[in-house]
Amino acid sequence: MELELKGKVAIVTGGGWGMGKATVSGFANEGVRVVIVDFDEGRGNAALKEMKEKGGEVLFAKVDVANWEMVKQAVATTLERFGQIDILVNNAGAWQTEFFVKQKREDWFFQVDVCFYGTLNFIKAVIDHMISRKTGSIINVASDAARIGEPNQPIYSGAKGAVVAFSKALAKEVGTHGIRVNVVCPSLTVGERRSEMVEKMKQENPEKYAEYEDQMKKALRLYPLRKFGRPEDVANMIIFLASDLRAGHITGQTISINGGYCMV
Ligand SMILES: NC(=O)c1ccc[n+]([C@@H]2O[C@H](COP(=O)([O-])OP(=O)(O)OC[C@H]3O[C@@H](n4cnc5c(N)ncnc54)[C@H](O)[C@@H]3O)[C@@H](O)[C@H]2O)c1
């Protein structure tokens, strides 16, 4: 499907791994020039090398999305190098898996900082530029946790819920400037993080691994398609939403890519 994305410029946060990396790869295949933002240098550089080997025009910026100064610098570098920013994907996320009653107050902040303030930071840093060019597509990655609330992930659910509500408000504010703002909500998606974690568990703690496998089998029953997501499933929707040609009338929407896990 022609998407008319060739030559556009995208920033993808958390682009070193998982859905972020799959999105970078999908954009590179479409001829989009991409800035991979990640705070992990190893992951960022590995993704950069992989994309370059495939012929992609990509940069890596080592940035913590929660750090406003680093975010401003990354946007300035992107504009210096590529001259424009057409697409922003706020994908970096952070969570703690623990019941609210057991979480300490100190545990809240990094989740809100990365999921919500990280998203605000990048949007604040690019929005005047997008307004001046009267074009832009912003895609924020939230979670089904934002839509239904996940026990064990209460702060994360709240921070991602804030991303959903904020995105709708912003879509209403900036639509007249030709800027679209949408949200994608994955459910359980198996990327490098989970694969590494499971492999380690298998090697180091076979008993815990057997318990985990059992839990996953039970969890799978909640997915009508009887499969968990792949990073590419989410990336495909992000890339579609980035296209003015194909998604030019879509803004303020929250779309789940979840094998039917929740239907709201
Ligand atoms: N994987 C899932 O099951 C799942 C489900 C629902 C929602 N999500 C959301 O989807 C998004 C992507 O998830 P994933 O599983 O692909 O993630 P991941 O953990 O595999 O990769 C995230 C990448 O973001 C980077 N990152 C983390 N914090 C950062 C920060 N502060 N600044 C810059 N980079 C940072 C990491 O280094 C990593 O490369 C996240 O927002 C996550 O909350 C994931």
Side-chain angles (χ1 to χ4, degrees), residues 14-260:
W17 242 10
M19 299 174 216
K21 186 172 141 193
T23 302
V24 172
S25 176
F27 277 144
N29 291 342
E30 294 294 329
V32 175
R33 295 169 285 167
V34 193
V35 178
I36 301 167
V37 164
D38 209 294
F39 69 175
D40 187 297
E41 211 163 355
R43 289 173 202 155
N45 277 322
L48 180 75
K49 186 168 175 275
E50 196 181 315
M51 301 306 148
K52 280 192 166 168
E53 279 167 3
K54 289 201 307 185
E57 202 176 335
V58 281
L59 284 184
F60 166 54
K62 187 184 174 200
V63 173
D64 180 347
V65 298
N67 183 316
W68 172 234
E69 292 306 320
M70 290 177 106
V71 170
K72 276 195 297 183
Q73 186 53 54
V75 168
T77 305
T78 306
L79 289 174
E80 227 169 77
R81 175 72 189 267
F82 293 136
Q84 66 196 65
I85 298 165
D86 305 281
I87 301 155
L88 169 65
V89 181
N90 284 303
N91 164 76
W95 57 91
Q96 186 194 41
T97 303
E98 185 54 277
F99 291 111
F100 181 70
V101 289
K102 291 192 180 164
Q103 287 194 5
K104 298 189 197 75
R105 237 185 134 263
E106 311 80 273
D107 299 331
W108 303 346
F109 303 108
F110 78 95
Q111 303 177 69
V112 180
D113 276 349
V114 177
C115 294
F116 189 46
Y117 287 114
T119 299
L120 298 190
N121 280 341
F122 259 100
I123 293 174
K124 186 70 180 162
V126 305
I127 200 77
D128 287 342
H129 169 75
M130 285 185 172
I131 287 173
S132 73
R133 294 180 66 232
K134 288 212 150 292
T135 184
S137 177
I138 297 171
I139 299 121
N140 297 324
V141 180
S143 167
D144 274 348
R147 312 190 90 174
I148 59 171
E150 285 292 354
N152 248 345
Q153 294 186 328
I155 307 304
Y156 174 74
S157 300
K160 292 291 197 183
V163 169
V164 171
F166 165 76
S167 301
K168 291 179 189 175
L170 186 69
K172 289 178 181 174
E173 285 190 23
V174 298
T176 53
H177 298 287
I179 301 167
R180 298 181 293 108
V181 186
N182 291 292
V183 179
V184 297
C185 288
S187 59
L188 202 155
T189 305
V190 183
E192 290 94 328
R193 177 182 300 281
R194 189 170 287 269
S195 303
E196 268 190 14
M197 188 260 297
V198 172
E199 197 47 46
K200 194 161 175 258
M201 203 192 304
K202 205 170 167 180
Q203 303 299 332
E204 293 174 4
N205 195 338
E207 216 167 90
K208 198 170 167 203
Y209 171 69
E211 210 176 283
Y212 170 82
E213 284 285 278
D214 193 46
Q215 275 173 6
M216 288 298 106
K217 264 187 207 141
K218 284 182 187 144
L220 205 53
R221 291 189 209 132
L222 302 172
Y223 290 70
L225 293 181
R226 293 293 185 271
K227 55 185 180 179
F228 299 125
R230 302 163 309 149
E232 296 74 20
D233 296 324
V234 181
N236 287 339
M237 177 55 72
I238 293 173
I239 290 158
F240 172 75
L241 288 170
S243 165
D244 284 334
L245 178 67
R246 301 295 175 190
H249 204 46
I250 303 176
T251 196
Q253 302 306 309
T254 304
I255 301 166
S256 281
I257 299 98
N258 65 4

